[in-house]
Structures are given as C-alpha cells and as structure tokens.
Amino acid sequence: MNKFFIQKLIRQHTKLTRNHLTPELCLRLITPDCLLWNASPDRSPFDDPFWAFFWPGGQVLTRYILDNPKLFYKTTVLDVGSGCGSTALAAKLVGASRVVANDIDPVAEVAIEINMEANALQVTTDTSNRLSSSLDEQFDFILIGDMFYDPLFTDLIATWLQRHKNASVLIGDPGRYSFKNHPIQKQLEHVAEYVLPRTCQIENNGLTTGNIWLLKNDR
Amino acid sequence: MSGLRVLVGCKRVIDYAVKIRVKPDKTGVVTDGVKHSMNPFDEIAVEEAVRMKEKKIVSEVVAVSCGPAQCQEILRTAMAMGADRAIHVEVDAKNYDTMLPLHVAKILSKIAQEEKADIVFTGKQAIDDDANQTAQMVAGILNWPQATFASKIEKVDGNLKVTREIDGGLETISVKLPAVISSDLRLNEPRYATLPNIMKAKKKPLVKKTPKDYGVELTSTQQVLKVDEPLTRQAGSKLGSVEELVQKLRDAGLVPS
C-alpha cells in the first residue's frame, strides 16, 4: 500500500481524541465513535492495528513523562514499540533533544507521522527491528510502554534490555501476566502508579491501574 | 500480588439462538456447520471473575476449556472479556462425544491444584446437556467448599459471602477459600467484547494441553442409547362458538353430558 492511501485509511477509520490519561496530546485512535469499535476484527482494513489504541501501559508511561519534564529535558530517547507514538511525542513535548519512535509496523509509522502533525511535534520514526541486535547508538532513555503482553516476546525484550542497562530503561505496564511473573521483576524498581481512566478501562477489560518501573542498572 | 487466582471453566456449546436438530440416526444432535459460542452461564462466571479483578479482589483470571480445536475461539472471547490467560485441554471429536462432566471435573481439579487456584468458577450448567454436575464434582474431588447457583458474591474478611438461588428464595452462605462457585443467571450481565479488547486478547497467552497431561483417561461409563426430539404438539383447531366447544368437550368425555 502506498503511504498516501494508508494516510487516507487511517483518517477514515480513526478519530482525533484527547479523551485519555494524557489530554496534552491529541491522538488519532479507534474510539467508541468509530465504526470499527464494534466490528469484528475481520472487518478491519488493517492487520493488527495496535497503533490505533492507546495501550494502558503506554498511557501511564506517557503520563509519567509529562509529569516529570525535567527528567527528560535535553536527553536522547528511544521509544520501542511506539504504536501511536504518544510516549515519543510526550518526550519531545517536554524538551528531549533527540527522540526515536520505533515500531516495526509500517502503518504505525504513518500513524505516528499523522500524530506528529496533529501536535506540531517532530520525532524520528523508524521501522527497523531494534530487538534483533544490540543498539549501535547510545540513548539516555529506553522507553517500553506495554510490551509485555506475550510470554515469548517478554523473554525477548527482557534479554535485550540486559544488554542496554547503560540507558535508563522505563517500563509502563498495567499488570500483565507475562510481566508480573517474569524473572525481570527482581531487577525492577517501582516508580509510580496511576489509575487508568474509565475510557481506558473499557477497552482493556479487567485492568484498572498501571505502573511505572525502572530497570536497575549495574552502574 | 496478594489477590486471588480464579480458574473459570468455559464450555463451547451450540449457540443459544440456534434451533437444535437431532441426527437422523438418533445418536446425537447435529453440530457440523452450526454456530457455537460460550455457554451463557460460563460467560456470567467469566464476567464475575473479571469484575472481581477490577475490584482488586482477584489478581489473575485463567480461562479453561476442554474440547476440540475450536474451543480456542471461546477462550479468546474469555480473554477479550478480561481473562489474563487461557488453557486449552484439547480433546478430539471422537473422544469429545463421550466426554462426561466427571472427566471435565477431574481435569479442572488437577489444573486448580497445579495453578494453585483459590477459586474454581463455572456456570451452574451447560445449555447443551444441562447436566449441572461439574462444579459440584470439582468440589467433591478437591474437598473444597462449594457455593452453587450464585447470584451475588462478596468478599468478607478472608471468606466469600455468596447469595444462592434456591427453591422459594435466596440463601446466603459464607465459604472459606479455596472454594468452588457456580454462577446462576442473575449474577450479572456479561459485557460484549469490543474490537480493542478482541485485538489485544490475540496477544494473551494460551497454552495447549491434553487430558493425558493431567492424568485423566476419557473412558466413558455411560452409553447413549438414543437421542429423540421432544414430541411435537398436534395441531389445534378453531371453533366458532362456546356451544361448539362444550359439545366437543362432551364428546371427549371431559365434561359431564
């Protein structure tokens, strides 16, 4: 699909909304006002449109950044599994100097670009698989918003993070099974807890809060 | 995490809205090409478990289904409703035909022990065989207290206060944990899963097991002799007057002449 067509499709099936934990940002998402909200997944023109939802772990991590602007001012930030790009955009909004929004889904990249425009913010998008090898660039922060939903993928990220402890790794997670029961828990320091807004709770049945964790580094 | 772990049994049954047809050879009902969904009472059990999770009484909801490969769709639905993960105990079509509530109860009991569950939750009965046995048998096998036909569940101190629907009214009991609960119709109204929930449920962990993994042999102690449709009502007729009706009743000897 060409980019122009994807842009059109995204605009057609999503709505700009501030009805989430970080109203400072305006994001294109599939909301209850969209036709797809009540549709079955086979009616979706996108394969797994994970970028079209503001995941609870992403919401709390984005909130944390906006609540702690000084921490991120003039820093370099890598947002892995960026989705709609909210976490990367928040880092940029509070003054990070270089922000990379990484997501292997090319449709997510287009969605992030649309969201950049909606918020008049500029971040670098990137669709390479960063988890396949060690980073060749040093970042002050590596941000992981709600990536621990699947046990195999959790192992993959946890292993990869061990090699990047020279950065401050911040994780946002709503208490997913694969994360709660992973050995990486021993290396985490609890940073903050947020109650998820009702809008987020109804699209994530069973989840009501989200937490921020810092991966303890060896330095 | 100090919350409870709940195991919810989810049976795949013919959808409640489908008109059931008996096979011509009377060995069972037609299931091929027929819409299936989660047993409505099990859906109520999933909903209650998720609500308890939302109230932070429960920390983890595990959905379990025994049956053919398509049971995974039922488990995905349970996870879209809010279950954290799922266990599919695969039983091939041939063995599934003769599977009994006792087999399911043995499997659920074993999983409950392995997973260190605090609550085993099922629907009060499945709408296909209407057996109403699984929850009670699980309680028997595990020697856990049972609260069947629940229409309200509260956590009071360390125990569960359960309101049960019984003949002629309601009974309120207190059960110690671990316990087995079966849900009645009025416990709650299950939510519909929306696209975001369905999408995200695709990423939740689902493990596949077999009855053998739990040391359960599916030998049946029952034999189905035949399955019949309910008798069809004979057609009635419309009468023109009260006199005509009385005459008919007299002819049939139903009123004195």
Side-chain angles (χ1 to χ4, degrees):
Chain A
M1 276 197 286
N2 77 46
K3 203 164 163 175
F4 178 72
F5 184 65
I6 296 173
Q7 281 175 347
K8 246 186 109 167
L9 216 49
I10 292 175
R11 290 207 165 90
Q12 185 188 338
H13 286 286
T14 60
K15 286 212 163 30
L16 273 173
T17 175
R18 290 183 191 273
N19 195 3
H20 42 71
L21 196 58
T22 56
E24 293 92 330
L25 296 170
C26 189
L27 300 166
R28 278 220 162 257
L29 302 169
I30 294 175
T31 72
D33 299 328
C34 299
L35 276 177
L36 281 180
W37 181 266
N38 285 309
S40 78
D42 52 17
R43 298 280 304 278
S44 164
F46 315 104
D47 290 333
D48 295 342
F50 293 140
W51 51 266
F53 307 107
F54 195 178
W55 291 57
Q59 294 209 18
V60 294
L61 187 54
T62 308
R63 184 70 260 155
Y64 178 75
I65 295 168
L66 296 172
D67 287 348
N68 298 277
K70 280 184 194 152
L71 213 55
F72 299 90
Y73 184 67
K74 285 200 172 158
T75 59
T76 55
V77 175
L78 172 66
D79 179 22
V80 185
S82 198
C84 63
S86 60
T87 313
L89 292 171
K92 194 72 198 176
L93 188 63
V94 299
S97 51
R98 172 168 161 76
V99 179
V100 178
N102 170 250
D103 198 303
I104 55 163
D105 181 356
V107 182
E109 186 182 36
V110 180
I112 294 169
E113 286 168 1
I114 293 176
N115 287 328
M116 284 181 351
E117 200 185 308
N119 295 280
L121 292 165
Q122 198 72 39
V123 301
T124 307
T125 59
D126 165 37
T127 56
S128 65
N129 184 1
R130 295 277 183 154
L131 299 175
S132 65
S133 59
S134 296
L135 293 174
D136 49 14
E137 182 186 348
Q138 169 68 35
F139 289 94
D140 297 321
F141 284 98
I142 295 175
L143 305 177
I144 310 282
D146 222 327
M147 297 277 279
F148 296 96
Y149 39 74
D150 165 300
L152 287 174
F153 199 47
T154 299
D155 283 341
L156 183 77
I157 302 170
T159 312
W160 183 81
L161 286 175
Q162 302 305 322
R163 304 208 294 263
H164 297 91
K165 285 181 163 180
N166 48 357
S168 296
V169 177
L170 280 173
I171 295 165
D173 181 89
R176 295 197 186 276
Y177 166 73
S178 313
F179 181 62
K180 277 197 303 196
N181 296 282
H182 198 275
I184 197 173
Q185 285 289 336
K186 291 195 194 85
Q187 304 174 46
L188 300 177
E189 191 183 317
H190 186 243
V191 177
E193 180 172 31
Y194 294 97
V195 173
L196 300 172
R198 185 73 198 127
T199 50
C200 185
Q201 291 187 20
I202 59 164
E203 59 177 278
N204 298 280
N205 287 331
L207 304 178
T208 45
T209 52
N211 287 283
I212 308 295
W213 305 88
L214 177 71
L215 185 66
K216 290 182 215 160
N217 58 26
D218 311 322
R219 283 179 298 180
Chain B
M1 277 284 175
S2 54
L4 307 172
R5 179 172 293 147
V6 185
L7 208 67
V8 191
C10 306
K11 187 177 186 182
R12 175 179 178 267
V13 297
I14 294 178
D15 188 85
Y16 72 94
V18 169
K19 169 130 177 45
I20 304 294
R21 284 181 300 129
V22 171
K23 283 185 195 163
D25 64 1
K26 297 195 172 184
T27 54
V29 299
V30 178
T31 54
D32 287 345
V34 172
K35 188 187 174 199
H36 284 67
S37 45
M38 196 194 305
N39 174 38
F41 291 110
D42 296 344
E43 229 175 341
I44 293 170
V46 173
E47 174 67 33
E48 195 64 18
V50 172
R51 288 187 190 186
M52 287 164 88
K53 189 181 173 199
E54 287 167 343
K55 287 182 201 148
K56 302 271 184 199
I57 296 167
V58 159
S59 66
E60 194 181 327
V61 180
V62 186
V64 183
S65 190
C66 306
Q70 298 95 313
C71 286
Q72 294 196 7
E73 293 161 28
I74 303 305
L75 292 171
R76 291 286 169 208
T77 304
M79 290 193 283
M81 289 175 71
D84 295 281
R85 58 191 175 102
I87 300 170
H88 174 214
V89 183
E90 188 160 22
V91 180
D92 59 52
K94 195 176 142 281
N95 280 318
Y96 191 59
D97 272 349
T98 55
M99 197 174 185
L100 296 169
L102 179 61
H103 299 132
V104 178
K106 282 180 178 170
I107 292 170
L108 285 179
S109 303
K110 202 69 202 285
I111 298 176
Q113 286 172 320
E114 274 187 16
E115 298 285 344
K116 298 190 175 60
D118 301 289
I119 299 172
V120 175
F121 212 148
T122 68
K124 69 167 176 178
Q125 66 195 69
I127 60 166
D128 51 1
D129 58 13
D130 280 334
N132 185 351
Q133 295 171 6
T134 305
Q136 293 88 334
M137 284 176 167
V138 172
I141 293 167
L142 293 172
N143 199 23
W144 287 7
Q146 56 181 302
T148 49
F149 319 128
S151 68
K152 194 177 177 190
I153 301 168
E154 294 157 283
K155 189 158 181 249
V156 180
D157 303 322
N159 299 342
L160 293 180
K161 192 174 136 194
V162 181
T163 307
R164 305 178 59 233
E165 300 205 9
I166 58 168
D167 284 348
L170 298 170
E171 178 188 60
T172 306
I173 60 169
S174 171
V175 286
K176 281 196 182 116
L177 292 169
V180 180
I181 309 175
S182 79
S183 60
D184 213 317
L185 186 67
R186 280 161 284 268
L187 181 58
N188 61 50
E189 231 176 89
R191 66 193 73 187
Y192 284 103
T194 54
L195 185 84
N197 282 301
I198 296 168
M199 286 275 173
K200 290 170 196 174
K202 287 207 273 181
K203 292 283 184 192
K204 290 185 178 177
L206 188 158
V207 296
K208 246 170 80 169
K209 297 278 188 178
T210 63
K212 271 213 174 75
D213 292 333
Y214 299 108
V216 176
E217 285 292 332
L218 297 182
T219 40
S220 180
T221 51
Q222 289 182 6
Q223 190 190 348
V224 174
L225 300 179
K226 64 171 178 166
V227 174
D228 275 318
E229 291 208 33
L231 290 175
T232 45
R233 246 182 84 205
Q234 284 181 340
S237 60
K238 202 173 166 184
L239 303 176
S241 66
V242 174
E243 286 76 21
E244 216 178 315
L245 172 65
V246 172
Q247 190 55 51
K248 286 254 181 199
L249 292 172
R250 272 190 188 136
D251 294 348
L254 295 168
V255 290
S257 40

